[in-house]
Amino acid sequence: MTRHAWIICRRELAGYFATPLAYVFLLIFLVLSGVFTFYLGGFYERNQADLRPFFDYHPWLYLFLIPAVSMRLWAEERKTGTLELLLTLPIALRDAVLGKFLAAWLFSGLALILTGPLWITVNWLGSPDNGVILAAYLGSWLMAGSYLAIGECLSAATANQVIAFILTAVVCFAFLAAGFPVVLDVFYRWAPPWLVDGVASLSFLAHFQAIGKGVLDLRDLLFFLIMIGGWLTASSIVIDLKKAG
Amino acid sequence: MNHRLTAPKIRLLLPALAILSAIGLIHSLPPIRLDLTENDLYTLSRGTRHILAQLEEPITLEFYFSNRATKDMPILRTYAQRVRELLQEYERLGKGRVTLQTIDPEPFSEAEDQAMARGLRGVRLVPGTPEVYFGVAAVTSEDETAVIPFFNQEREAYLEYDISELLVQVSRDHAPRLAVYAEPDLLVRGGINPFKHEPQDPWVAMEKIAQFYDVTWLPEDFQAIPKNSDLLVLIHPKALSEPALYAVDQFVVGGGNALLFVDPYAELDGPPAFVQPGRKKSSDLNRLFRAWGFEQIPAKFVGDDHYATSVRIAEGRPASRHLGVLTLDSTAFEDNVIAANLDKLMLSSAGAFRPLPETSIRFTPLIHSSEQSMLMPTVALDYLFDPAILYDAFKPSGQSFILAAQVEGRLSSAFPEGAPNPDPAVQIGGNADLDAHSAPRRGAASTPHLNQADDPSQVLVVGDSDFLANRLWTRVQTGPDGNRITTPFADNAAFLINAIDHLTGHPDLISIRGRGRYERPFERVERLRREAEKQLQAKLETLQQKLETTERKLARLESRKNAGATGRSGETGGLTPQQQETLNAFRQQRLQIRQELRRLQHRLNQEIEALGTRLKLINILLVPLLLTLAVLVLHVGRKFRRAYSQPTG
């Protein structure tokens, strides 16, 4: 990471808190994750000292919360015309892409940290396996990063934030659902097992759950890092392309 | 123009392709992982590493998995992936001594024939689809084989144990040697039943162990245990002579493992009490047990209302619940390798064990009764024509009793003075045969007396011997071809085999335990519940008692009514109007008591529910509220600063 990326990151983060957007996002995330954990997941009634009901809903929560963060990353710059300004600055395009991504990623990390009371609650109630919880937090953060990278790329592709939001949600859903039997069914009929497994291995859910068990497998970590890296590269190409077009 | 636009667009395909191929490549990477779980759930234990290091000859692990046939079974495939990775870990740590082969036995292929020849079991998981193979065979260079016929996902917590056990099984040079002693009157090996004067077949459980192990039967008057025995099994050791007790003591203190079925009341030991009154039907090894750090509560059996079984004591009589005949389900099994994944065990008038205070041994309960149980005197069983009578004296103790346990540690001898006096007069054996005694004792004397063990031993005790008898776990019929067909209805034999495998396994194997501590209850909530229960216990108990009495009375009246109704067709059945009135009154009373019980139960839960609500509020609203507050403070602060700075700036 270069110094420029860091500068962009800080500028972006400051931007988040200048408007109520960040606050609203955090509020919704915290309230919803609490409601899901306690009401849908039956956290208290199941009488088990772990955070499964909390993490189980993250992929779905992110599905509409992360696009809300990522939609404005580039679409807004394009709409307000600050994109050209940004591109004329002596900053490499990939630094700008990386900086914006980092800001959003750190922000989603902050949202996760603010769920700390739940961790305190579960430790107060019983003796959970904190290694597993730590791994699940990390997995959740990596997954949020992947959603954000996808969102950044699609935000760069359009000037309309609503379209960016919807596109991101759709693509993320596709990656989420890739491991579901319903989706794989389409492939079973004709595809060889390796292809079916290949499609299944693209699923966020499978890798997130693998990490959430408490094991940091190099392959799962690489999966998310490659996802992030790949989509960020795609973002720079898209911006470059739009500029050229 | 068109041309100019497509060229950069192609560039977009590059990251897409890169992502796909990179993700494809990831999966061929070796599993490098950091296990963050508390018990290292996903890392091979030291016991397994030790077993692998001690392998003398190379072993091939043939992993059979029907890849194509399981295409649309994602859960099974995920588990198969976990198994495969664990096997890869064995291969990696085996450093050349273990080779892993993955085989897909497609239908009608050579591989399928091979799988069947190895003893794997094809399972049709979905009707109309091909059978699925999902097992492993460990094969030595001399083609000796041990298999796991099909991986049962319920045993996931014991996956490592099962695979390591396979390695131990296939690499040992002889079948485990058991020295077995059973009370002769039980006729475990068949014979003529002296009381009924009919031939009796051997117990199926005994045939099973003879099939899998190298069994040496100890004679009735044994005084020594073959030194090379891997395990000593005693079934209802009722009348062991002093030298025999000494031999057992020294075998175990010397580091030998033992599996002991010690029964406070063995139903099958001789004829019933009305035929032979005063017959002793109990075995008692407390003299040894107490020296070893635990005891069996003598002359008492565990009556348990929760696990009680309906039995028919004689032909033509109605079945009724017998407090002493227990049908245990998995709620009664502790989480351990032996009882895990068993569904059902049946015990009859089983005794209870408890560790002595301040003992240094490790005492691990394996099976326990419910809290709806109490210790009852075994004399109650002597003239028991109607098991329902046991209920008259029954009062749940609110405590669960240990029916089987595993004891580990360096044990002390029960004979601190050394070998017992050779004088036959002090022997308990009664009609001791002098000639038979003399020879083995000389042999025994040649080994020095051990007072304190150098090596740890494993003793597994079960408080019942009827447990092994056919009537408690299997139906035996004669098929049309004259062969016996046995249909198990309980897992007693599986428990026996698991226990023997466990005790004759490698010491390293014993160190591998089930590592899934999946149950992590909210301790604070449990504590609350217990406290609330303690407060209301007395009240609950009286109510419960009242309910039971009422129900018993009701049942008696109702059965009389029914009996009358079938006997003659009077409209009130066999009851006088007065009785009918009492019946109605009882019904009313039962309803009231139940209502009150429910109310109490509700009060019990109130506090727990209140805590839940508080936690919900804190977690859902507290942080958002604090956040709002922080934002407001910031906002106001900012406005303030702006207002201040305006006139000057």
Side-chain angles (χ1 to χ4, degrees):
Chain A
M1 192 176 78
T2 64
R3 205 165 50 85
H4 287 150
W6 184 233
I7 291 169
I8 299 263
C9 171
R10 272 174 35 205
R11 187 197 78 143
E12 284 282 316
L13 267 179
Y16 283 156
F17 292 99
T19 64
L21 183 90
Y23 162 71
V24 171
F25 172 87
L26 289 176
L27 199 71
I28 293 180
F29 177 75
L30 291 174
V31 171
L32 273 188
S33 66
V35 168
F36 282 5
T37 308
F38 276 93
Y39 290 95
L40 293 182
F43 169 78
Y44 188 68
E45 289 75 18
R46 64 195 270 284
N47 196 24
Q48 285 297 311
D50 59 38
L51 288 185
R52 282 268 304 276
F54 171 62
F55 288 111
D56 277 353
Y57 292 102
H58 279 198
W60 309 103
L61 262 177
Y62 288 162
L63 203 52
F64 62 95
L65 283 180
I66 296 278
V69 176
S70 68
M71 64 183 184
R72 45 169 294 283
L73 284 179
W74 290 99
E76 203 176 48
E77 303 258 12
R78 187 187 296 284
K79 200 175 151 208
T80 53
T82 46
L83 179 65
E84 278 70 24
L85 182 72
L86 183 71
L87 292 179
T88 51
L89 292 175
I91 288 174
L93 182 55
R94 63 186 162 81
D95 283 345
V97 169
L98 187 65
K100 276 173 178 284
F101 168 76
L102 277 178
W105 204 21
L106 286 176
F107 177 66
S108 66
L110 174 70
L112 279 175
I113 287 172
L114 285 178
T115 63
L118 192 64
W119 175 74
I120 295 170
T121 303
V122 79
N123 273 285
W124 182 75
L125 279 171
S127 32
D129 191 334
N130 281 317
V132 174
I133 293 178
L134 181 71
Y137 264 115
L138 184 68
S140 178
W141 192 50
L142 282 168
M143 186 169 61
S146 305
Y147 276 63
L148 280 171
I150 293 175
E152 181 166 1
C153 178
L154 295 171
S155 165
T158 170
N160 187 328
Q161 295 197 19
V162 178
I163 294 178
F165 178 92
I166 293 170
L167 273 182
T168 308
V170 168
V171 173
C172 288
F173 179 70
F175 273 103
L176 199 55
F180 283 169
V182 193
V183 179
L184 295 177
D185 254 349
V186 183
F187 293 89
Y188 289 142
R189 307 238 153 90
W190 52 273
W194 65 264
L195 185 60
V196 182
D197 280 348
V199 172
S201 72
L202 282 177
S203 168
F204 284 154
L205 211 55
H207 293 279
F208 171 58
Q209 281 169 352
I211 295 178
K213 278 193 308 191
V215 182
L216 297 187
D217 193 310
L218 184 66
R219 293 169 298 181
D220 297 317
L221 299 181
L222 277 179
F223 168 82
F224 284 119
L225 293 178
I226 288 172
M227 271 284 170
I228 293 173
W231 283 96
L232 289 186
T233 314
S235 305
S236 347
I237 295 175
V238 166
I239 294 165
D240 211 22
L241 205 96
K242 290 272 174 179
K243 190 173 65 179
Chain B
M1 180 85 176
N2 226 356
H3 186 75
R4 233 187 62 205
L5 263 181
T6 44
K9 270 192 180 160
I10 286 173
R11 279 172 56 202
L12 257 185
L13 278 176
L14 287 177
L17 279 177
I19 289 181
L20 286 178
S21 48
I23 287 169
L25 278 178
I26 295 179
H27 278 260
S28 47
L29 285 177
I32 299 171
R33 44 178 35 170
L34 176 63
D35 194 337
L36 289 181
T37 55
E38 199 176 292
N39 303 320
D40 283 340
L41 288 181
Y42 301 94
T43 311
L44 287 188
S45 65
R46 201 188 304 165
T48 294
R49 285 161 198 265
H50 207 228
I51 289 170
L52 283 167
Q54 285 184 332
L55 287 179
E56 278 167 13
E57 47 176 348
I59 288 176
T60 308
L61 289 173
E62 295 174 353
F63 175 57
Y64 293 89
F65 181 62
S66 303
N67 196 25
R68 191 169 275 273
T70 55
K71 271 208 296 188
D72 51 354
M73 303 172 190
I75 297 171
L76 189 77
R77 286 182 82 85
T78 316
Y79 187 47
Q81 175 74 10
R82 158 126 169 76
V83 173
R84 190 182 301 126
E85 283 171 6
L86 197 68
L87 291 172
Q88 281 166 355
E89 204 56 18
Y90 275 86
E91 186 181 32
R92 191 173 70 83
L93 291 173
K95 299 197 176 88
R97 282 183 292 260
V98 176
T99 321
L100 177 66
Q101 278 177 13
T102 304
I103 300 165
D104 179 2
E106 296 208 8
F108 309 112
S109 65
E110 231 169 85
E112 189 185 22
D113 292 342
Q114 188 187 339
M116 284 201 286
R118 291 284 190 226
L120 270 87
R121 200 169 60 231
V123 175
R124 204 179 303 282
L125 294 168
V126 183
T129 58
E131 286 182 337
V132 170
Y133 288 88
F134 177 23
V136 69
V139 186
T140 64
S141 49
E142 284 141 32
D143 221 30
E144 276 177 68
T145 320
V147 293
I148 294 175
F150 196 90
F151 284 106
N152 180 350
Q153 197 154 1
E154 280 168 31
R155 266 189 88 81
E156 181 168 3
Y158 304 100
L159 185 60
E160 183 189 350
Y161 178 89
D162 289 345
I163 297 173
S164 297
E165 185 184 30
L166 207 64
L167 293 182
V168 169
Q169 266 178 22
V170 79
S171 59
R172 67 181 159 212
D173 45 13
H174 62 87
R177 284 183 282 253
L178 312 186
V180 187
Y181 170 84
E183 158 62 32
D185 282 347
L186 288 179
L187 297 177
V188 298
R189 298 162 72 190
I192 303 290
N193 187 326
F195 315 106
K196 294 184 186 163
H197 303 288
E198 338 176 304
Q200 184 182 314
D201 285 326
W203 291 11
V204 178
M206 297 301 116
E207 292 180 326
K208 277 213 184 295
I209 63 171
Q211 194 183 329
F212 295 125
Y213 311 101
D214 180 358
V215 176
T216 307
W217 287 94
L218 296 174
E220 202 172 325
D221 53 356
F222 78 93
Q223 309 207 344
I225 290 150
K227 275 230 184 73
N228 61 0
S229 308
D230 297 310
L231 178 68
L232 170 67
V233 181
L234 300 183
I235 302 168
H236 191 40
K238 185 172 76 167
L240 290 189
S241 66
E242 191 80 345
L245 276 175
Y246 180 68
V248 171
D249 177 80
Q250 288 296 297
F251 178 80
V252 173
V253 174
N257 293 349
L259 172 58
L260 310 174
F261 295 88
V262 186
D263 199 341
Y265 192 89
E267 268 85 347
L268 295 180
D269 179 4
F274 58 87
V275 176
Q276 193 181 1
R279 183 187 169 91
K280 179 187 177 219
K281 290 188 170 209
S282 62
S283 42
D284 184 347
L285 286 185
N286 269 336
R287 176 158 170 210
L288 302 185
F289 290 170
R290 290 198 180 116
W292 295 346
F294 65 102
E295 66 174 353
Q296 184 172 28
I297 298 160
K300 294 274 168 66
F301 74 96
V302 177
D304 190 327
D305 188 28
H306 180 72
Y307 295 120
T309 313
S310 281
V311 294
R312 210 181 291 276
I313 209 110
E315 290 288 323
R317 294 179 71 104
S320 55
R321 277 161 72 77
H322 191 314
L323 279 169
V325 180
L326 311 181
T327 305
L328 304 173
D329 57 30
S330 53
T331 53
F333 309 151
E334 300 283 339
D335 194 11
N336 62 78
V337 247
I338 296 167
N341 91 325
L342 298 184
D343 293 323
K344 186 172 151 191
L345 291 178
M346 286 193 70
L347 275 77
S348 172
S349 57
F353 298 95
R354 61 181 170 210
L356 293 180
E358 289 165 34
T359 175
S360 61
I361 54 152
R362 191 174 156 144
F363 183 88
T364 320
L366 297 181
I367 311 174
H368 55 77
S369 74
S370 78
E371 288 180 2
Q372 296 289 309
S373 62
M374 79 176 278
L375 289 173
M376 309 185 86
T378 50
V379 258
L381 298 167
D382 263 345
Y383 293 92
L384 190 69
F385 296 103
D386 179 8
I389 289 171
L390 288 176
Y391 272 95
D392 291 342
F394 181 70
K395 210 175 121 209
S397 64
Q399 178 192 350
S400 68
F401 296 97
I402 299 162
L403 303 171
Q406 189 172 359
V407 177
E408 295 163 79
R410 291 185 169 76
L411 306 177
S412 323
S413 171
F415 294 82
E417 316 276 294
N421 194 333
D423 182 359
V426 292
Q427 283 165 12
I428 314 173
N431 50 352
D433 180 359
L434 286 183
D435 294 337
H437 284 178
S438 47
R441 194 177 307 118
R442 269 201 304 278
S446 66
T447 51
H449 171 76
L450 256 178
N451 240 343
Q452 183 72 38
D454 298 324
D455 300 311
S457 4
Q458 301 268 333
V459 178
L460 206 150
V461 283
V462 179
D464 189 25
S465 63
D466 308 290
F467 176 74
L468 301 172
N470 298 355
R471 66 182 188 116
L472 279 185
W473 69 273
T474 184
R475 257 181 292 279
V476 183
Q477 292 158 298
T478 312
D481 53 355
N483 284 333
R484 285 203 302 164
I485 305 169
T486 59
T487 340
F489 52 81
D491 298 318
N492 295 15
F495 180 92
L496 175 70
I497 302 286
N498 283 356
I500 295 176
D501 279 346
H502 182 63
L503 292 170
T504 58
H506 226 268
D508 288 319
L509 201 54
I510 292 171
S511 77
I512 308 169
R513 283 159 211 288
R515 288 190 294 149
R517 211 187 116 206
Y518 296 114
E519 279 290 303
R520 287 171 182 273
F522 292 148
E523 286 139 20
R524 195 169 290 263
V525 177
E526 297 290 299
R527 216 158 34 230
L528 261 179
R529 184 166 293 144
R530 267 199 304 275
E531 263 160 38
E533 261 169 12
K534 216 190 288 167
Q535 276 174 12
L536 299 174
Q537 186 68 40
K539 217 166 173 187
L540 260 174
E541 239 168 54
T542 18
L543 273 179
Q544 200 85 41
Q545 236 164 8
K546 233 163 105 187
L547 182 68
E548 270 159 28
T549 338
T550 317
E551 270 179 348
R552 227 182 351 259
K553 284 180 190 157
L554 251 177
R556 215 168 289 161
L557 273 175
E558 261 166 358
S559 72
R560 203 178 302 165
K561 179 180 171 185
N562 292 341
T566 47
R568 59 197 155 85
S569 49
E571 67 262 45
T572 48
L575 300 183
T576 62
Q578 226 165 1
Q579 281 171 325
Q580 184 66 36
E581 210 169 286
T582 337
L583 184 70
N584 289 343
F586 277 149
R587 280 187 185 147
Q588 195 61 36
Q589 200 177 347
R590 177 171 65 179
L591 217 66
Q592 269 171 4
I593 299 174
R594 282 205 182 145
Q595 250 168 14
E596 194 142 343
L597 264 174
R598 261 199 300 277
R599 214 171 306 138
L600 263 181
Q601 210 71 46
H602 184 69
R603 256 178 59 197
L604 249 171
N605 293 333
Q606 242 168 12
E607 208 171 327
I608 294 168
E609 274 165 26
L611 175 65
T613 315
R614 268 203 305 279
L615 288 176
K616 268 176 208 169
L617 283 177
I618 289 175
N619 275 289
I620 298 173
L621 294 179
L622 182 69
V623 178
L625 277 177
L626 287 178
L627 196 70
T628 315
L629 211 68
V631 169
L632 278 178
V633 168
L634 266 176
H635 186 70
V636 171
R638 211 176 284 167
K639 256 195 175 164
F640 233 52
R641 238 177 298 149
R642 218 171 287 160
Y644 255 105
S645 55
Q646 222 126 46
T648 47

